[in-house]
Amino acid sequence: MSSSSEPKAPSLKPWLRLRRGLEHDFGVVKVREDKVVDPRTQQEHPRVRMDCADWVNVIAVTKQDALVMVRQFRFGIDASTLELPGGCVEPGEAPEVAAARELEEETGYRAGRLESLGAVHPNPAFQSNQSHVFLALDCERVSDGHQDDGEDIAVELHPRADVPRLILEGHITHSLAVVAFFMEQLRADARR
């Protein structure tokens, strides 16, 4: 028996792509349907793939221990959501640079310190990108922000201690925001 506490991953064969489908470019995402072969059964299956830029999400905390959050309309659910500031990593841009840029563009706040909490795959079943999570501390408002065309964002401040309640009561429902707060908690627990 191994002395490592990590479970041994089973060895899986890759699914080979037989045919690459026609790509549809929607600006923020490229979508295509490929034909792949199951390595276990050798049967062909269609699989959708969505190629997106990497994303950043920022847990922004002011010197007064308030969270800087954003509320914006989301077309997938036809409703507004309470979320973390964030957005796309531009081509050639480092994730930490994107995090600082998106925070300031969306909220007008600038971080005194920026710390990476890690990255997750939003949905590896069909998405290729990662979402990078950052903790921005000692944030101060430096402008009114510079929202992109197509953005209509309201900035809200919430007490940091309210995060569990905001999640459990369904005020924060965006899964990547919930994951970001979980990653922050895991990092804090590991430091103790």
Side-chain angles (χ1 to χ4, degrees):
M1 179 169 219
S2 172
S3 62
S4 173
S5 62
E6 292 190 31
K8 184 176 180 188
S11 178
L12 296 175
K13 294 178 183 175
W15 289 56
L16 299 178
R17 182 172 55 213
L18 300 174
R19 289 181 296 286
R20 182 182 172 108
L22 179 63
E23 190 169 84
H24 302 278
D25 189 342
F26 297 99
V28 62
V29 63
K30 294 177 183 175
V31 180
R32 70 174 194 268
E33 182 180 78
D34 293 343
K35 291 288 184 182
V36 297
V37 64
D38 181 333
R40 187 177 54 80
T41 66
Q42 303 305 308
Q43 290 183 328
E44 288 187 27
H45 298 276
R47 292 293 184 256
V48 171
R49 179 177 170 121
M50 298 172 60
D51 290 321
C52 311
D54 280 359
W55 301 327
V56 292
N57 279 291
V58 183
I59 300 172
V61 184
T62 68
K63 291 180 178 182
Q64 296 76 31
D65 212 33
L67 286 172
V68 181
M69 301 194 69
V70 296
R71 188 173 299 277
Q72 58 187 318
F73 188 84
R74 291 301 192 184
F75 295 94
I77 61 170
D78 287 326
S80 64
T81 61
L82 182 62
E83 307 177 5
L84 297 172
C88 291
V89 178
E90 299 294 333
E93 185 178 40
E96 61 272 12
V97 172
R101 176 183 52 74
E102 286 288 346
L103 174 62
E104 192 168 340
E105 284 177 2
E106 290 191 352
T107 69
Y109 281 80
R110 187 176 295 154
R113 294 182 293 143
L114 193 64
E115 176 184 334
S116 173
L117 297 177
V120 296
H121 292 101
N123 190 343
F126 53 82
Q127 282 179 252
S128 61
N129 66 330
Q130 288 187 306
S131 180
H132 302 269
V133 180
F134 289 88
L135 177 62
L137 299 170
D138 301 328
C139 293
E140 293 184 288
R141 188 164 181 176
V142 296
S143 73
D144 290 334
H146 315 290
Q147 294 177 26
D148 292 334
D149 286 342
E151 286 184 326
D152 185 19
I153 297 171
V155 177
E156 297 182 13
L157 297 179
H158 290 271
R160 194 172 186 189
D162 284 358
V163 169
R165 180 185 63 77
L166 291 169
I167 293 171
L168 292 172
E169 291 180 0
H171 301 287
I172 298 174
T173 60
H174 195 303
S175 62
L176 293 176
V178 174
V179 165
F181 287 121
F182 181 65
M183 291 175 76
E184 179 192 23
Q185 185 62 52
L186 289 175
R187 190 65 65 129
D189 290 349
R191 288 182 180 150
R192 292 184 194 143

